[in-house]
Structures are given as structure tokens and as C-alpha cells.
Amino acid sequence: MAGLTGGDPSLLRRINSAVVLHALRATDSATLTEITRVTGLSRPTVEGVVEGLIEAGLVVEAAADGAAARRQGRPARRFRFRAEAGHLLGLEIGPHRVAALLSDLDGRVIGAQAKDVDENASADERLERLRTAVAELLRRAGVARGSLRAVGAATPGIVEADGTVRLGTALPGWTGLGLGERLSRSFKCPVLVENDANAAAVAEHWKGSATECEDIVFVLAGLSPGAGALIGGRLHRGYGGAAGEIGALHLLGRDVTPETLLSTTDQPLHPLDEQAVAKVFAEARGGDERARAAVERFIQRLVHDVAALALALDPEMVVIGGWAAGLDGVLDPLRRELARYCLRPPRVALSLLGEAAVATGALRLALDHVEEQLFAVEGATARR
Amino acid sequence: MAGLTGGDPSLLRRINSAVVLHALRATDSATLTEITRVTGLSRPTVEGVVEGLIEAGLVVEAAADGAAARRQGRPARRFRFRAEAGHLLGLEIGPHRVAALLSDLDGRVIGAQAKDVDENASADERLERLRTAVAELLRRAGVARGSLRAVGAATPGIVEADGTVRLGTALPGWTGLGLGERLSRSFKCPVLVENDANAAAVAEHWKGSATECEDIVFVLAGLSPGAGALIGGRLHRGYGGAAGEIGALHLLGRDVTPETLLSTTDQPLHPLDEQAVAKVFAEARGGDERARAAVERFIQRLVHDVAALALALDPEMVVIGGWAAGLDGVLDPLRRELARYCLRPPRVALSLLGEAAVATGALRLALDHVEEQLFAVEGATARR
């Protein structure tokens, strides 16, 4: 405890820097006097910290306000956070496409790139496709690779803390792949790997349907459904990173698989054949009886899966994403059935981010990492 | 941030007291020199803090060690934490019985009392029965009511943060009952109310089957099953306190109820009739074919519920309690089926605490509350 009053000078400097950055980031620009008032730090401390931040490239003197200059003769110098001092990438690696989002240090997206990829592509081919997309994205945006501070990547499967895919049946060659290590070869900054439904949950909380909820379940609906959950605003990964892997739920009742449920023929659909799925939905909307029955069966299955998650976790809100999100009429039956089964039914909403949810969540995870390093005042004081 | 270096004197005193108590609680007794060394506080600070703790009755001078006294002439004074300075109650209020556990401030149980209660008893009768049990327990243990520092109470149903039972169908008159407020009339100390399965999860983590796991699901198996979960060692209550209320899961498949599954006649069992349930289990063990089939159906249902929880939460361990815990052969089918459905199957164990789990968990929650007040160094420094 002695450290609390005495203090480690370098730790204190880091904390003070974080406090000042935090304050500057919350505003367009501020004078030293304003920073002093907001942070509670002394004027000399603020001066020293701001000087250090300017040297580090994270803060710059802002252009003087014209009106104030005229009024006061020589106005006080103003400073602003340089969000352009670094960049972040959010990557999605899926069965049919790879996608990349580029942002500045404020998380403002400044570019996006996506490429189709064959569902049978090998891991090497898929990663090569991603590398190409990233290279094009950086070139178009005029951002140097060295400016990247963190990269987030999201993919189907169970992902270990070290970025290894422990189990990923949707993508060829994915199980056992050291995805974090492979991606790290292309970047000098930290690379964080996350399950795709988990990333999407983070994204909907950040800038999607669930910005006002801290306890949410995101369901990546599809023939191989998955789910991600935030508890108290934080990702719940589970003990082994497998939380929400509800793809096996339908096995419990010895029921048929979603591929069979949604088929209008005697043959099940291919688990990754989104076009065939879209066709069934379109036919159902067109009034085809067989397709409508198939869609009805599929919705019942989705309701079952979501209800099991809601009963186990009791979220405030359930967000439905994946391709089923485009499906008319999925919300009403979901709400009706959840009201029937749950003691306290959660709100149900469709994903606002749609196709962009997974890459957006990966970007947010990269941003979280950088914020922890640059701005984490609370973390810095709590950890001793 | 200015507070970090300057410091609030009363906050610092509280922190220092907590640090010294923490140190004393971890050992039988200690000298001022030892406390100074362990805590990193100055000698005068330690002397002042110990003096204050003695005045508060939380610390006392320990009897001098005879050998040391002979060796050194006048040995250094030793001090110890007075675990007997206060007491805690853990209460269970169930459909068939009320139970109370009494402990000292170290959580050491020094007395227990249980009473049967009719499943049809009104809320008033049930609470009166509990009051009698508590009064007898305190009298037998020779503990004054004023010595109680906190009371934990656990009961079936969804419990709000303020101790109101939002929904509790198992006990007559329970839904809407201000249980925390009602119990508070009997005690001057804080009363904490918790769901029974949640409390049992806490108990198994404290001194049961799951002492080495931080991510567990406890299933209170029975005709009205419930579950509690710890995530990272902390209780997961859900947004509305309804997490783990899996009693409705069997409705999802339009399946029949457990009462019907486990019946050997054409009539379903009564949901609270544990004796009838025990009879079916006994008949099954005795070789009765109809009973064996009923038990088999019941186990399949339990497996289904547990698998849904495991898929949603991905715990390290599942602990099975409630009366089904006495059932031979529930573990093997559970392990087999979980291995089949879960990408990473959790360990499965029976409750070690059995009937005492719920009251023990309630006691632990009371102890947590007191520890937060007396010993929470980390909390005191992190909160600003």
C-alpha cells in the first residue's frame, strides 16, 4: 500500500499521460488551462505531459480559433488528440468472403475492402486473399503498414487465447490453424483473434442495435448457427472459448438438422450454401407452400436455439444477425415464443450492422487493445 | 487523479485497517514487527491501526507463546483477528424445509438448525417457522442477535436486487413477496436474498465439488429444475436475475413435463412430491421395469437441460445437486451425452454439500458482504 502515497514516478507519468489523452480525446481541442481544470493535475504537470505527448506524435497544436484571436490579440494555444497518429484493422475471415475495415485511433472507419473467396479454398489461399484485400485497402487509403497499432480478426470456430483455432469446421484447414501467428507475419503490431459471433456481439454493442444494453446475446443465424454474449458489457467467451456454440443444440432432441429443415426437396441443403437458402426464403415470400413450410420449420428451430440461450443467460436483448436477419417475419415469432418460455423475456432486435458486423467487432477489439495501452486510467491505477 | 497523491485521510485509514486485518486474518497471530513487514506500512501507522481495531473489537492481544516468553524474558506482544467478534447466518427457505447455518467472521460454521415446513404453508407461516429455527439456533450457540453482521437467505424463484421475489411459483404467496424487507424486520444487520440454485453454485465453489473451478454451472435437479452459474468466480445472475431458470426448457420441444416423465402411472407426479420421486428411484433400483423406464426418461431430460446450459455458457465444470444427486447412474449418461454435444465438454461432478448446499451458499454471500466491508483492500483502492 505504501506505493499509493509514495508512488512509482514512471507509473504516475503514464497515468497522467493517459488522463490528459483521455480528456483531449473527449473534446475537439483544449487549452492547457482547460486541461488543468478537467484533469485536476497541476499546470506544470500538464505542460510536461502535453510536451511528451507532442513528441510521441499523439497530440498536436490545433489551429487557433480566428474569432478568439481577433478578440484577445494573442489567444491561448489549443491542443488536440491526433486520431490520425495510428490506425487499426478489423478483419473478417468467413467461408465465402474476407473483409477488412480500416480506422483511425478514434475508431472512425476510413476505408473498407471485401473479396469473395471459395468455400473450398485452403487456409493458405484464404489468407492470401485476405492479404491482398488488406494491401489494397492500405494503398487506397494512403496508410502505411507501420502506422497500424493493432489488428483484430474474427472467424468461425473456437479460438484459443493465443489465436489458435481449436475447432473450425466451416472452413477447410481451419481446425488447429495458428491463425494469430499466421496473421502476425504480415503485421508488426499486436493481432487479436476472436470468434465471429463474439465479434459481432461486440459490434452491435458498439454501433449497432444494442448500444444501450450491457447484457446481450448476438445470434449469428444460419445453417451453422453461433452466438456471442456480452455480460456487463464484456465478452463472455466461456472457459474454453466455446460459449454460445449452439450449433449442436438441435442434436439434443434428436431433431433433424437445419439443412434438412430448410430443404424443399428430399435432399438437405449444403450447410454453407447461402444462395440456396436465399432461394427458399424468396420462394416462401412468393407464396410457394413447400418453401413456406420449410421457412416455418427453420424459424421454429431458431426460436428453440435462442430460447435456450435466453434461459441460460437472461440477457437484456437478443440481436439476430447472419443471413436470417434479412428474413421477414423472424422477429414476431421469436418475440411471441420467448414471451412464452422465458420468465423475463429479452428484447429482440435485428442486427443493424448486417454484413459488416463481424469485421466491425474485430475492429472494436483492436481499438479496445489500443485504448487499454494508451488511455486506460482505471486499469493503470487498479493494477498494482 | 489528484487524490491519488494527496489522499483522503479517512479513506487511507480504512484502507490501512483493511490491510492489517487482511494480514492478521491470514495467520494465527502476529507481532507489530511482523505486521509492519507484511503490510509495508510504517510502524507508527501499524500501531495506530491496531489500536483502532482493538477498540472496534476486531483484534485482540493473543496469549504470549510460553517458550518464547521463557527464552526472551519479555516477548513481543502478539495480536490476532477476533473471528468471534461477529457472526453470520445463512438461511434456506425451501418448499419443504427451512434451514439456518451460523458462523463466525471466518465463515467457520458453529451451529445449524433445520425445520420441516408444509409445502402449502403461507408465506407468513413459512417465515414464522424460519424465525423459530433462527431463535433456537442462536440460543443454543449462545450468540446474541446483535452480534450478527450479515444474513444471507436463499429461496426458489427470481429474486430482485432489493430482495423482492419477482416470481416464485414453488412456494405459496412467494411471487411479489418483499422477502428481504420481511427478513430485515428480524435483524439489524444487512440481509441479502439470493436464488437457491445461485447460492448452491457459490457454495460448491466455496467448499464443495468446484473449489478449483472459477467457471461452473450448478444444476439443482428436480421436477422444477434450476441452475446457477459462476463466471470467473462471480455469480452470473443475468440482466433480470433469471439466468439459469431452465424449468421452461422442456416446453421448447413441446415435450411432456418432468412430472409426467417420471410417473409410473397415468397421472403426473406432484411437482413438489419428493417422496413420490424417491419411490420411483427406489423401484427402479429394485428392478421395476416401469420405474426404470421413467428414470431413464428423466435422465434424458436432465441431460438435455444440462447440455443446453453447457453449450450456452461453456463452463469448466457442471455440478449436479438437488435430489437427483442421490441418483445412481446420472453421471455416466451425462458425461457421455455432453461429450457428444459439446465442442469442449465440461467436467461433471455430483454436489459434495448435498442438502446443505443452499444454506451454505447463503452463508457465503453474507460472508462476502462482510469481507467487502472489513477487508476489501482492492475495492477500496479501485473505487474513487
Side-chain angles (χ1 to χ4, degrees):
Chain A
M1 299 310 303
L4 255 190
T5 45
D8 165 6
S10 78
L11 175 64
L12 265 184
R13 250 200 314 275
R14 272 213 315 281
I15 294 173
N16 290 339
S17 281
V19 169
V20 170
L21 265 187
H22 212 80
L24 280 177
R25 208 166 170 236
T27 180
D28 283 342
S29 66
T31 64
L32 292 177
T33 306
E34 287 164 356
I35 299 171
T36 302
R37 196 182 62 237
V38 168
T39 59
L41 295 170
S42 74
R43 177 84 179 204
T45 300
V46 168
E47 284 174 353
V49 164
V50 167
E51 199 171 313
L53 289 170
I54 290 175
E55 273 168 33
L58 288 167
V59 165
V60 71
E61 195 173 338
D65 181 310
R70 275 191 302 278
R71 208 167 41 242
Q72 300 184 352
R74 186 167 150 245
R77 296 161 71 201
R78 301 192 71 82
F79 300 90
R80 69 168 179 85
F81 172 60
R82 284 189 71 229
E84 69 276 23
H87 293 86
L88 308 162
L89 278 178
L91 308 177
E92 173 187 2
I93 314 174
H96 297 112
R97 65 171 212 151
V98 293
L101 287 177
L102 179 68
S103 86
D104 64 16
L105 287 182
D106 275 336
R108 202 171 53 87
V109 173
I110 57 174
Q113 179 70 283
K115 285 191 178 299
D116 290 340
V117 61
D118 191 285
E119 69 188 48
N120 297 312
S122 69
D124 283 345
E125 289 165 336
R126 200 172 297 273
L127 290 175
E128 181 53 36
R129 197 90 177 126
L130 179 69
R131 266 189 296 273
T132 307
V134 167
E136 289 180 16
L137 174 57
L138 291 175
R139 194 172 55 242
R140 274 197 299 126
V143 167
R145 192 168 287 259
S147 174
L148 294 172
R149 298 284 183 125
V151 174
T155 192
I158 302 181
V159 179
E160 308 262 4
D162 69 355
T164 302
V165 180
R166 185 144 49 83
L167 190 66
T169 53
L171 278 58
W174 224 238
T175 297
L177 182 71
L179 183 56
E181 189 272 321
R182 288 291 296 272
L183 291 173
S184 290
R185 295 180 197 169
S186 303
F187 305 105
K188 289 199 179 109
C189 61
V191 175
L192 310 136
V193 186
E194 189 52 80
N195 167 269
D196 55 354
N198 286 358
V202 168
E204 294 290 337
H205 179 53
W206 183 26
K207 45 168 85 175
S209 297
T211 53
E212 286 166 20
C213 300
E214 300 285 297
D215 296 278
I216 72 165
V217 165
F218 177 92
V219 179
L220 200 59
L223 295 180
S224 302
L230 300 191
I231 297 174
R234 293 182 49 169
L235 206 45
H236 171 62
R237 293 188 172 87
Y239 175 69
E245 290 292 328
I246 54 171
L249 264 183
H250 59 266
L251 296 175
L252 291 171
R254 271 73 176 166
D255 290 333
V256 289
T257 63
E259 297 89 277
T260 305
L261 285 180
L262 205 46
S263 172
T264 53
T265 69
D266 296 335
Q267 293 298 313
L269 303 179
H270 187 287
L272 295 174
D273 192 346
E274 291 175 12
Q275 259 135 35
V277 170
K279 184 159 164 283
V280 175
F281 287 150
E283 286 170 359
R285 278 193 296 273
D288 181 279
E289 275 310 313
R290 198 156 179 192
R292 282 176 61 170
V295 167
E296 175 63 22
R297 286 195 300 267
F298 176 76
I299 289 179
Q300 282 306 318
R301 164 59 46 78
L302 185 64
V303 166
H304 177 282
D305 292 354
V306 173
L309 283 168
L311 288 169
L313 286 163
D314 185 24
E316 182 179 4
M317 180 185 258
V318 172
V319 181
I320 308 291
W323 46 254
L327 175 65
D328 290 343
V330 86
L331 286 196
D332 281 343
L334 253 179
R335 288 190 180 119
R336 198 168 54 238
E337 298 287 284
L338 287 176
R340 187 173 156 200
Y341 297 130
C342 297
L343 299 176
R344 196 204 54 73
R347 292 160 62 196
V348 182
L350 288 182
S351 161
L352 263 186
L353 299 170
E355 207 177 24
V358 174
T360 300
L363 179 66
R364 178 69 239 188
L365 291 166
L367 183 57
D368 284 347
H369 181 81
V370 167
E371 290 192 338
E372 252 171 49
Q373 295 187 308
L374 292 182
F375 313 113
V377 180
E378 214 166 331
T381 58
R383 282 181 216 133
R384 280 168 302 151
Chain B
M1 300 308 303
L4 257 190
T5 45
D8 165 6
S10 78
L11 174 64
L12 266 185
R13 253 199 313 275
R14 273 214 312 282
I15 293 174
N16 290 339
S17 282
V19 170
V20 169
L21 266 186
H22 211 81
L24 280 176
R25 207 165 171 236
T27 178
D28 283 343
S29 67
T31 64
L32 292 177
T33 306
E34 286 164 356
I35 299 171
T36 303
R37 196 182 61 236
V38 168
T39 60
L41 295 169
S42 74
R43 177 82 180 207
T45 300
V46 168
E47 284 174 354
V49 164
V50 167
E51 199 171 310
L53 289 170
I54 289 174
E55 273 168 31
L58 287 168
V59 165
V60 70
E61 195 174 338
D65 180 311
R70 274 192 304 279
R71 205 164 46 240
Q72 302 183 349
R74 186 165 151 246
R77 296 161 70 203
R78 302 192 70 82
F79 300 90
R80 70 167 177 85
F81 172 60
R82 283 188 71 230
E84 69 275 24
H87 293 85
L88 307 163
L89 278 178
L91 309 177
E92 173 186 1
I93 314 175
H96 297 114
R97 67 171 212 150
V98 292
L101 287 177
L102 179 68
S103 86
D104 64 17
L105 287 182
D106 276 336
R108 202 171 52 90
V109 174
I110 58 174
Q113 179 70 282
K115 286 193 177 295
D116 289 340
V117 60
D118 192 285
E119 69 188 47
N120 298 312
S122 69
D124 283 344
E125 290 166 335
R126 201 173 297 274
L127 290 175
E128 180 55 35
R129 198 87 177 129
L130 179 68
R131 266 190 296 275
T132 308
V134 167
E136 288 180 15
L137 174 58
L138 291 175
R139 194 170 56 243
R140 273 197 298 125
V143 167
R145 192 168 289 260
S147 172
L148 293 173
R149 298 284 183 124
V151 174
T155 191
I158 302 182
V159 180
E160 307 263 3
D162 70 354
T164 303
V165 180
R166 185 144 50 83
L167 190 66
T169 52
L171 279 58
W174 223 237
T175 298
L177 182 71
L179 183 57
E181 190 272 320
R182 287 292 295 273
L183 291 173
S184 290
R185 294 179 197 169
S186 303
F187 305 104
K188 288 195 179 115
C189 62
V191 175
L192 310 138
V193 186
E194 187 53 78
N195 167 269
D196 55 354
N198 286 357
V202 168
E204 294 290 337
H205 179 52
W206 183 26
K207 45 168 84 171
S209 296
T211 52
E212 285 167 20
C213 300
E214 300 284 297
D215 296 277
I216 72 165
V217 166
F218 177 92
V219 178
L220 201 57
L223 294 181
S224 302
L230 300 191
I231 297 175
R234 295 183 49 171
L235 205 45
H236 170 63
R237 294 187 171 88
Y239 175 69
E245 291 293 327
I246 53 172
L249 264 182
H250 61 266
L251 297 174
L252 291 171
R254 271 74 174 166
D255 288 334
V256 290
T257 64
E259 298 89 279
T260 306
L261 284 181
L262 206 47
S263 171
T264 52
T265 70
D266 295 336
Q267 294 298 312
L269 302 179
H270 187 286
L272 295 176
D273 192 345
E274 291 176 12
Q275 257 136 37
V277 170
K279 183 158 165 283
V280 175
F281 286 149
E283 286 169 0
R285 278 193 296 274
D288 181 281
E289 273 310 313
R290 199 159 176 185
R292 281 176 61 170
V295 167
E296 174 63 21
R297 286 194 301 268
F298 175 77
I299 289 180
Q300 282 306 318
R301 165 59 45 79
L302 186 64
V303 165
H304 177 282
D305 293 354
V306 172
L309 283 167
L311 287 169
L313 287 163
D314 186 22
E316 182 179 4
M317 180 185 257
V318 171
V319 182
I320 307 292
W323 48 252
L327 175 64
D328 290 343
V330 87
L331 286 197
D332 280 343
L334 254 179
R335 288 189 182 122
R336 198 168 52 235
E337 298 289 283
L338 287 176
R340 188 173 154 198
Y341 296 131
C342 298
L343 298 178
R344 198 204 52 74
R347 293 160 61 193
V348 182
L350 288 182
S351 161
L352 262 186
L353 299 170
E355 206 176 26
V358 175
T360 300
L363 179 66
R364 177 69 239 187
L365 290 166
L367 183 57
D368 284 346
H369 181 81
V370 167
E371 291 192 339
E372 253 171 47
Q373 296 187 306
L374 292 182
F375 313 113
V377 180
E378 213 166 331
T381 57
R383 280 180 216 132
R384 278 170 303 155

